[in-house]
């Protein structure tokens, strides 16, 4: 956050990390992200046009979902999954099986804020074709090019490719700030 000069709010989903409560479930991903968003707006007094949603891996599903329902300055997706089915069967493009778990591919086109995708080309957990599929679904509305990090895997994109990672994020943050300046005062 220091290098990018941003503040960060992070949380665990129900059933993950240090959270308490029920077992993990897709519905918790969405309700937890909504609760954090509402907390930032109501309790912290943040304006939606000052919030950028960020998700990595499984966290991209609630990030995309939130982006379809709540206003924001932008949406960052790192190593995103197009759907649970496409994680297991990366080359299968079947909208019926996409609907089984975390169907982000059907939602991303509804995100109104700018979208930025970054994915490693050697991701061993979520094949990079998931990032490509998501970009193809949203590029008409979000022309900022994605960053495909050559050689990066799933868990080393921020560390081993730190410079590329930060440059990509800086490019997107600058783009969002410029888009914000172009919005009519209201």
């Amino acid at each position: 956050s220091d290098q990018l000069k941003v503040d960060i709010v992070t949380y665990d989903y129900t059933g993950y990390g240090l959270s308490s409560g029920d077992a993990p479930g897709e519905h918790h991903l969405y309700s937890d992200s909504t609760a954090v968003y509402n907390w930032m707006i109501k309790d912290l007094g943040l304006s939606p046009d000052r919030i950028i949603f960020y998700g990595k891996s499984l966290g991209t599903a609630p990030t995309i979902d939130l982006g379809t329902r709540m206003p924001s300055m932008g949406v960052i997706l790192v190593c995103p999954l197009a759907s649970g089915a496409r994680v297991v069967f990366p080359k299968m493009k079947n909208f019926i099986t996409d609907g089984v778990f975390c169907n982000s591919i059907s939602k991303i086109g509804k995100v109104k804020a700018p979208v930025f995708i970054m994915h490693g080309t050697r991701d061993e957990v979520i094949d990079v074709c998931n990032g490509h599929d998501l970009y193809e679904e949203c590029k008409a509305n979000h022309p900022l090019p994605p960053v495909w990090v050559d050689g990066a895997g799933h868990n080393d994109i921020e560390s081993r490719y730190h410079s590329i990672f930060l440059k990509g994020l800086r490019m997107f943050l600058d783009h969002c700030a410029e888009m914000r300046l172009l919005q009519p005062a209201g």
Side-chain angles (χ1 to χ4, degrees), residues 2-36:
D2 288 342
Q3 291 176 321
L4 293 172
K5 297 182 181 5
V6 297
D7 295 318
I8 296 174
V9 172
T10 186
Y11 60 99
D12 284 331
Y13 303 111
T14 300
Y16 290 91
L18 300 176
S19 69
S20 60
D22 299 335
E26 183 176 1
H27 64 285
H28 289 305
L29 298 175
Y30 305 137
S31 63
D32 292 347
S33 64
T34 302
V36 171

Side-chain angles (χ1 to χ4, degrees), residues 24-164:
E26 183 176 1
H27 64 285
H28 289 305
L29 298 175
Y30 305 137
S31 63
D32 292 347
S33 64
T34 302
V36 171
Y37 179 84
N38 289 335
W39 173 76
M40 289 190 300
I41 299 296
K42 293 175 184 164
D43 293 2
L44 298 181
L46 297 176
S47 172
D49 69 348
R50 304 290 296 170
I51 297 172
I52 293 181
F53 303 148
Y54 177 102
K56 179 176 180 185
S57 191
L58 178 60
T60 62
T63 299
I64 292 169
D65 181 76
L66 192 64
T68 67
R69 298 181 290 106
M70 303 295 188
S72 71
M73 186 178 189
V75 175
I76 297 172
L77 307 170
V78 179
C79 303
L81 58 100
S83 73
R86 292 188 195 203
V87 172
V88 179
F89 304 105
K91 305 297 182 196
M92 187 170 72
K93 316 291 190 230
N94 183 320
F95 291 102
I96 294 171
T97 57
D98 284 337
V100 173
F101 180 73
C102 293
N103 189 2
S104 296
I105 193 79
S106 72
K107 296 178 182 179
I108 194 159
K110 299 172 186 140
V111 175
K112 301 225 184 324
V115 173
F116 175 63
I117 298 172
M118 184 182 296
H119 208 133
T121 61
R122 295 193 187 268
D123 191 324
E124 67 287 355
V125 177
I126 300 175
D127 193 280
V128 68
C129 70
N130 280 264
H132 286 284
D133 291 347
L134 288 167
Y135 179 64
E136 287 302 315
E137 285 296 314
C138 75
K139 73 179 179 182
N141 298 323
H142 307 289
L144 193 67
V147 173
W148 311 120
V149 184
D150 190 36
H154 192 73
N155 293 311
D156 65 356
I157 199 166
E158 301 93 345
S159 58
R160 190 164 172 221
Y161 300 88
H162 186 72
S163 175
I164 296 168

Side-chain angles (χ1 to χ4, degrees), residues 166-184:
L166 287 177
K167 283 180 187 174
L169 293 181
R170 173 51 49 208
M171 174 187 69
F172 183 68
L173 293 172
D174 291 346
H175 171 76
C176 289
E178 185 175 315
M179 296 304 294
R180 186 170 179 260
L181 290 174
L182 296 174
Q183 297 298 316

